[in-house]
Each structure stands twice: as C-alpha cells, then as structure tokens.
C-alpha cells in the first residue's frame, strides 16, 4: 500500500509553521529571535485591508503586519517607560555621520534621558533623507539613546548604545540595496545589521482557516502559536492576552482590539459610530468616556466665542458636552507629550484607532494614527485617549479655528457631526 504523499513545503521551510530566518549578521543574544518572532507570528495573521480616507473618501490598500508588530513592541516600550532593549521604528537623520536618532521634544525627561521621537516626521526634520528601520536593539536598556556615540540634535553627547539594527521582512517585502546601505550606516557596520525574514510555511488549508477566522470573529481570542486559529464558530468573547512583554514576562497582559481583523475597510471610531464603539472592549470604551457619546450620536458642534469654549449638542436628547479653550490647550499638551504630534500633523490626521490595550493597571493604550497615507503606532495614557479623539475631530471640522485656539485666537463657527 502506497504511503500518502506529504504536501510540499514552500522553499526554505523546514516545517509547516510560521518561521523566521536570520540573515546577514546574527542577532546578539539567544532571546532576540523568540522575542521578535512571537510578535511576527501574531502580526502574520493580519490581512491586507483597505484604508478609507475620511477627507477624500478614497481608499488604498495597506499591510497591517508591520504596524501590528511595531505596535506590540511599542507596547513593551511604554510598559517599561522606554527603558527597553527593543525600540520600534526609530527615525534616523541620514544627513549626519553617524546618523542621528531623533529624540522627543514634546515634554517628559529631557537632555540625555529623552526617548526617541514617535512620529514619522520628527520635529526638526527639515529635509534630506530619513530612515526608520523596523527594530533597533540597544546595548543597555536603562539608556534611552538608541544610536551610535555622538551628539544629538541639541548637542548633548551620548555613548554608543546601538547593539543591532533589525529589518523584518514579511512575505512580499523587498530590501533594496540603498536601504541596506543606509541601515548599515545607522548600525555602524555590516556586523551590526540583521535581517529577520518571516516565511509563512503553513499549508494552504491552514491559511484558509485564518481567512475564515478573520471574516467571522475578533482577533482577540486566546493566542497560541501552536493552535491558531481557534474555530471561527466559537462565540465572541472579551479580549484575551496577545504577545507583549516578551517570552519571560509575568506582568499585566495586553490586548489587541477587534477592528483590525473584523472589517474589510478600516474605519475610524468616529465613522464607525456605535458599531465601532461596541466592537471595543469594555475597558477601552470606558477610556473614551464622554467622547463615546458624540461618537455614537448625531449632533452639532458649536464654537462659543464669548465663553471661549466648544460645545457639542445632541440632536436626539439635547445633551450638551463642553470643553473650554484652556481645557483643549491642556489636552493638546498632554497628547503632544505622549505622541510628539505637531499642529501640522494634527491637521493631516484622518482617523485614530485603538490597537493595543496594555491593561488598566498600566493605564496605557497604543493607538494607530493615520497621517495622510501613512500609519503610526503611538501610545497615550488611557485617561487621555478621549482627548486625542476630540482634538482630531475638531481639527477635521474646524482646522483654522482650532489652530488659532491652540496658538491663540478664534472665530465663531458651528457644524453638524
């Protein structure tokens, strides 16, 4: 009797799973690959989606894999106050030799203790070339500086703290020759530049299960790399932990919210209204507080120039929510401190979505911000996620007025939500 023929594995595969191959320089420690691969394995489950612009109405396809992986690493960074060995998408200024990482200028610890900037277009970038390698591994995690020895943009000297630059390549990604040269410059030598190539070695049947799962349920069921996905007939439950904090973590777990896998087109909280709010966990809905009211109801926004305030009036109940100019300025200072956003960037934000809830004890959420055609993973204290959503909405509707208020001055305006 003939033995059944085993399915042929994709080229380079040794087993039917999601595998990672380290190329160029080896990673500096045995724990690096397991840490990165648990993020990559989870991110591999996220499909390409259509991102709809709330400004133009158009849409374009985006791969969520890299933004999910960056978001999970960034959750670790926030959890440990950026004293963490792994840093996601640090922006480097290629005009200098060695290239300089951009540091935050939006508050918090200053001088030698500043964290890296979290935006794709950092403050102070006036042209030239900017690179954002996927992962920077530092030598000493108690030092926030993620670069080679030298001065930062403000002239403060820092020691060499760059252990490895890692570029993560998911299926279909290509590392260009110019990109490779720039990353080696950032690393300091080819011996400090590694490529982690992620390959989907699963059989077609397993991939089809992913597609069915993505179409019928949330991505917030229990994560187990050996048993993914859970049957899609399983009833929807509250979010459960995803791989954040690394293989040896024992801290409060994190949760990935449902929007990323549950919808064919990524919708903002505002556009999705009640359905989008309902899809979030109870904890995140609580974070949104008063914003969830106007996100789920029709109403009118009014600028009260005499009272130097903004009001939202519900069309159905007559309920009034109110923010003064001073409150908005305080909210904006807090948002800037944790996201490094500038007024120009606030103007360009299309939507905001919650990606990772790090837990009530930690009190931080990682959000995805769409700025033009790009996505940025940033984090804010849970208590001010509502403030971020309010500011984004006002910027979309009353940019000139809001910019004047945040910088001084305003005019009378009203509009319907």
């Amino acid at each position: 009797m003939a033995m059944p023929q085993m399915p042929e594995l994709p080229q380079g595969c040794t087993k039917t799973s999601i595998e990672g191959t380290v190329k160029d320089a080896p990673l500096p420690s045995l724990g690096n690959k397991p840490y990165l691969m648990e993020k990559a394995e989870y991110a591999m489950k996220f499909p390409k989606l259509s991102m709809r612009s709330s400004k133009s109405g158009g849409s374009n396809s985006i791969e969520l894999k890299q933004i999910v992986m960056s978001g999970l690493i960034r959750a670790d960074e926030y959890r440990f106050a950026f004293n963490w060995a792994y840093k996601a998408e640090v922006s480097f200024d290629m005009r200098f030799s060695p290239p300089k990482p951009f540091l935050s200028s939006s508050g918090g610890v200053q001088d030698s203790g500043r964290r890296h900037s979290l935006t794709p277009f950092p403050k102070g970038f006036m042209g030239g070339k900017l690179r954002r390698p996927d992962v920077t591994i530092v030598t000493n995690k108690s030092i926030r500086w993620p670069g080679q020895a030298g001065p930062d943009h403000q002239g403060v000297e820092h020691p060499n703290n760059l252990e490895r630059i890692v570029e993560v390549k998911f299926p279909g990604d290509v590392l260009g020759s110019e990109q490779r040269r720039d990353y080696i410059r950032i690393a300091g030598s080819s011996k400090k530049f590694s490529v982690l190539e992620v390959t989907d070695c699963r059989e077609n049947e397993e991939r089809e299960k992913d597609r069915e799962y993505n179409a019928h349920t949330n991505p917030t069921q229990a994560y187990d790399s050996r048993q993914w996905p859970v049957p899609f007939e399983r009833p929807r439950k509250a979010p459960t932990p995803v791989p954040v904090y690394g293989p040896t973590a024992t801290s409060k777990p994190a949760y990935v919210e449902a929007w990323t896998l549950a919808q064919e087109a990524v919708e903002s909280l505002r556009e999705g209204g009640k359905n989008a709010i309902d899809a979030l966990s109870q904890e995140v809905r609580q974070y949104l507080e008063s914003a969830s009211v106007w996100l789920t109801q029709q109403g009118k926004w009014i600028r009260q120039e005499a009272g130097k305030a903004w009001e939202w009036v519900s069309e159905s109940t007559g309920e009034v929510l109110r923010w003064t100019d001073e409150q908005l300025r305080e909210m904006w200072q807090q948002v800037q401190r944790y996201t490094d956003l500038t007024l120009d960037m606030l103007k360009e934000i299309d939507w905001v979505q919650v990606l990772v809830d790090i837990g009530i004890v930690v009190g931080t959420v990682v959000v995805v911000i769409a700025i033009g055609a790009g996505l940025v993973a940033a984090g804010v204290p849970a208590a001010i996620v509502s403030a971020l959503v309010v500011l984004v909405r006002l910027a979309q509707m009353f940019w000139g007025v809001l910019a004047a208020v945040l910088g001084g001055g305003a005019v009378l305006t009203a509009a319907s939500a």
Side-chain angles (χ1 to χ4, degrees), residues 42 213 218-222 228 237-242 255-258:
Y42 191 83
Y213 177 78
N218 292 339
T220 49
Q221 306 287 354
W228 182 282
K237 295 184 178 180
T240 50
V242 295
Y255 304 91
V256 166
E257 291 293 335

Side-chain angles (χ1 to χ4, degrees), residues 48 124 164 223 416:
K48 180 182 289 186
R164 189 73 83 250
Y223 174 80
S416 296

Side-chain angles (χ1 to χ4, degrees), residues 18-22 27-42 69 72-73 76 84 86 137 166 196 198 223 225 243-249:
I18 294 173
E19 297 188 19
T21 303
V22 178
L27 293 172
S29 76
L30 293 177
N32 296 146
K33 184 178 177 182
Y35 174 85
L36 295 173
M37 280 305 299
E38 68 176 4
K39 270 65 172 175
E41 286 178 29
Y42 191 83
M69 183 168 183
L72 294 174
I73 293 173
D76 288 342
W84 190 242
Y86 305 87
I137 302 177
V166 184
L196 177 60
V198 182
Y223 174 80
S225 61
V244 176
Y245 313 147
T248 61

